Amino acid sequence: MPKFLSKQKVDLYHEQGYLSPIDVMPEDEALAYKNRLEQAELDYPDQINAENRNNAHLSFACLDELAHHPVILDVVEDLIGPDISLWGTVLFIKEPQSAGFVSWHQDATYMGIKPHEYVTPWLALTPSNRQSGCMSMIPGSHAGRIREHEETFAEDNILTRGQAIAGVDESKAVDLILRPGQMSLHNSEIIHGSQPNCSNNRRIGFAMQSYMPPPARQVLGENYWLKIRGKAFPGDRITLARPRFDMDPGGIERRRLANDNWASILYQGANQKRAY
Ligand SMILES: O=C(O)CCC(=O)C(=O)O
């Protein structure tokens, strides 16, 4: 019995490889989270910035709360079942009138996790639309295989390796337009990307990348996951923990551990490395 989604919506997610939009919270609540995040950026600029954008939920309470939001988790449970761990999070912030973009890619390519049955919710804290550089998906593209990615390391490409799939039929792309407080969810193999932010507002998205069901296993790097709901997974090596408050020293250390592990996974075999 689904907790939040209808059976039709669950089927639609599996058919097209994504689901959007889903109402998570009212706009004023999303604005309150945005304000807390922006205060944290002001108070700890070296801890949250374009280069230090990964796994901030391990040391900042507002992001930890979002990663445990009951609506997000009920939707995730409808898609992957009741035993859920979180691999990590990424703050995808595009500043007003900025050139940063995300090339067509499939998340599963460099995550070192098998099988690929995991899901990424992307929560908007500001309007995400064509002008501000929302995500676009190629419906059904998860049903094939992992495509070849060229590692461009292009300056304005905000992916780790600037990895890009060539020859995507862009006429099939669907824009995921979200108001603050809405989320999309996408499958780890779907081809997706986003354009620069041409608006005068920040485009802030919080990607919970990704929630894992028990069959998922880290086959590259260490198995550092945060237990979220249900039973622990057999073989979990280090279970990360929630921060007790912003900049909890234990949380900072666990974030460092998780980020170092990510870097060793995401850049494995790459001939260049960036700061994120
Ligand atoms: O925020 C973006 O524009 C891209 C995010 C993305 O690629 C992802 O969440 O997998």
Side-chain angles (χ1 to χ4, degrees):
M1 174 79 175
K3 287 198 154 163
F4 188 96
L5 296 174
S6 64
K7 172 154 182 345
Q8 285 84 347
K9 292 271 184 204
V10 173
D11 289 347
L12 188 61
Y13 169 81
H14 290 298
E15 185 187 312
Q16 58 186 16
Y18 67 90
L19 200 57
S20 183
I22 303 283
D23 291 341
V24 175
M25 62 183 75
E27 205 161 328
D28 58 347
E29 206 177 315
L31 181 63
Y33 275 108
K34 170 184 175 273
N35 291 342
R36 286 172 69 189
L37 172 66
E38 292 190 324
Q39 191 59 51
E41 287 180 283
L42 284 176
D43 292 343
Y44 306 103
D46 58 332
Q47 290 294 315
I48 304 186
N49 57 57
E51 296 192 336
N52 198 1
R53 63 186 189 179
N54 295 338
N55 294 316
H57 67 292
L58 294 174
S59 46
F60 287 96
C62 61
L63 299 175
D64 169 72
E65 281 168 32
L66 291 176
H68 289 84
H69 194 286
V71 172
I72 297 178
L73 296 183
D74 284 351
V75 173
V76 167
E77 182 167 334
D78 287 344
L79 298 177
I80 65 170
D83 300 321
I84 302 169
S85 285
L86 178 60
W87 193 61
T89 61
V90 185
L91 275 165
F92 283 105
I93 301 181
K94 291 180 183 167
E95 299 300 338
Q97 304 290 347
S98 61
F101 71 99
V102 171
S103 49
W104 295 116
H105 70 286
Q106 293 164 296
D107 292 343
T109 313
Y110 297 111
M111 287 169 64
I113 292 169
K114 283 191 177 156
H116 294 163
E117 300 307 321
Y118 41 91
V119 61
T120 297
W122 191 105
L123 178 72
L125 295 183
T126 57
S128 190
N129 49 44
R130 263 189 98 72
Q131 209 198 2
S132 67
C134 64
M135 276 199 295
S136 307
M137 303 273 152
I138 306 293
S141 56
H142 62 305
R145 62 194 156 82
I146 294 294
R147 316 307 201 275
E148 193 176 332
H149 287 63
E150 186 198 349
E151 295 175 15
T152 70
F153 287 92
E155 195 182 340
D156 292 325
N157 190 327
I158 61 178
L159 291 178
T160 44
R161 305 177 186 222
Q163 63 266 32
I165 303 173
V168 171
D169 180 356
E170 300 190 359
S171 69
K172 297 213 161 74
V174 174
D175 292 328
L176 306 189
I177 295 169
L178 301 173
R179 63 141 176 93
Q182 287 184 322
M183 70 171 169
S184 59
L185 297 114
H186 63 270
N187 174 284
S188 68
E189 290 191 349
I190 191 153
I191 298 177
H192 62 291
S194 69
Q195 298 294 318
N197 181 1
C198 301
S199 78
N200 292 325
N201 301 310
R202 302 182 91 194
R203 195 225 61 173
I204 303 181
F206 182 52
M208 288 146 266
Q209 188 180 343
S210 301
Y211 289 101
M212 303 287 167
R217 281 273 144 283
Q218 191 78 57
V219 292
L220 269 185
E222 298 292 345
N223 189 200
Y224 299 160
W225 296 3
L226 180 64
K227 181 82 226 136
I228 299 280
R229 260 190 188 177
K231 292 193 289 292
F233 297 2
D236 271 358
R237 190 166 163 268
I238 291 193
T239 305
L240 299 171
R242 303 180 68 171
R244 291 164 303 160
F245 45 82
D246 283 354
M247 297 292 287
D248 178 350
I252 293 173
E253 177 53 21
R254 288 186 287 272
R255 185 181 179 202
R256 189 195 59 73
L257 194 73
N259 283 349
D260 287 353
N261 188 41
W262 267 31
S264 73
I265 296 167
L266 296 173
Y267 287 106
Q268 188 148 126
N271 55 15
Q272 277 183 57
K273 199 168 162 186
R274 301 211 246 212
Y276 51 84

